Amino acid sequence: MSTDAIVLLKNDHKEILRTFRDFESAGENATKRKGQLVEKMIELLTVHTYIENEVMYPRVRELLPDLEDDVLESYEEHHVADVLVMELVGMKPDAERFDAKTMVLIENVRHHIEEEEEEWFPQVREGLGRKTLQEIGAEMEKARRKAPRKPSQPSALKKTVDAVVS
Ligand SMILES: [Fe+2]
Ligand SMILES: [Fe+2]
């Protein structure tokens, strides 16, 4: 299996986007199913955000300083998603604002994924080349094994706190 960092991240994106589409087509009254889908999307987002924050973004920042502004913007976009996720975790699927908040999360993350895939990844691929991307990918898969799966777990929470206070 390829460990190309961009291929791995795109696979994650595909899975995340699938939960978004499923949520959108679940229908007005599918409260229980929507609750499950949000749980799933939060788990996928928590792991994905972790491996990007811990491995992909710092490596790219270090190796391609020209892309630093994009990395900083991405950290901020992750932070906005984290805040929404933290709020959703404390909300029951039948709450009045549950669907609205989920839709705002979906819109934000979709925009972020589009920017990564259409603007950022091509520049990263060109700048880093195959071998480095494979090394970063292998490092990400290692990080994935110890990644938090729920935002309430300390390492994910710490990220959110860091982002708020720093
Ligand atoms: Fe990202
Ligand atoms: Fe991503």
Side-chain angles (χ1 to χ4, degrees):
M1 202 186 92
S2 165
T3 61
D4 182 288
I6 290 175
V7 172
L8 296 171
L9 292 174
K10 279 189 174 174
N11 285 340
D12 279 5
H13 289 171
K14 243 183 246 160
E15 217 182 337
I16 291 165
L17 293 171
R18 195 177 311 130
T19 63
F20 292 175
R21 285 195 301 274
D22 289 347
F23 182 90
E24 288 168 323
S25 59
E28 206 41 40
N29 298 313
T31 310
K32 189 169 165 227
R33 167 136 175 85
K34 286 202 233 175
Q36 289 164 345
L37 285 166
V38 167
E39 248 174 65
K40 181 77 193 159
M41 74 178 71
I42 286 175
E43 182 182 328
L44 293 172
L45 285 172
T46 304
V47 174
H48 183 75
T49 304
Y50 179 85
I51 64 171
E52 283 189 342
N53 284 354
E54 295 294 320
V55 182
M56 185 68 174
Y57 291 177
R59 288 291 163 277
V60 172
R61 193 178 179 182
E62 173 194 331
L63 297 167
L64 301 173
D66 283 355
L67 296 185
E68 171 150 71
D69 286 354
D70 297 295
V71 172
L72 290 174
E73 189 182 323
S74 280
Y75 275 126
E76 291 307 315
E77 288 179 350
H78 281 190
H79 170 60
V80 170
D82 282 347
V83 170
L84 292 165
V85 161
M86 294 301 286
E87 290 177 357
L88 270 173
V89 166
M91 206 177 249
K92 294 222 161 35
D94 60 358
E96 188 184 45
R97 295 209 253 158
F98 185 82
D99 280 11
K101 205 176 280 293
T102 304
M103 284 313 299
V104 173
L105 174 68
I106 288 175
E107 281 161 20
N108 270 278
V109 174
R110 254 199 200 124
H111 161 83
H112 175 70
I113 287 177
E114 261 170 43
E115 274 189 355
E116 285 189 335
E117 295 204 354
E118 281 159 32
E119 293 163 36
W120 201 63
F121 287 169
Q123 297 181 62
V124 171
R125 180 171 295 292
E126 208 191 311
L128 293 184
R130 225 177 111 91
K131 192 169 165 283
T132 307
L133 281 170
Q134 298 239 342
E135 284 164 11
I136 296 175
E139 217 184 308
M140 279 198 311
E141 287 315 280
K142 226 191 211 169
R144 189 190 294 278
R145 275 179 247 135
K146 57 171 184 164
R149 316 203 81 80
K150 286 197 172 89
S152 56
Q153 284 176 313
S155 46
L157 189 63
K158 186 181 170 298
K159 277 278 158 208
T160 308
V161 172
D162 284 351
V164 171
V165 297
S166 60

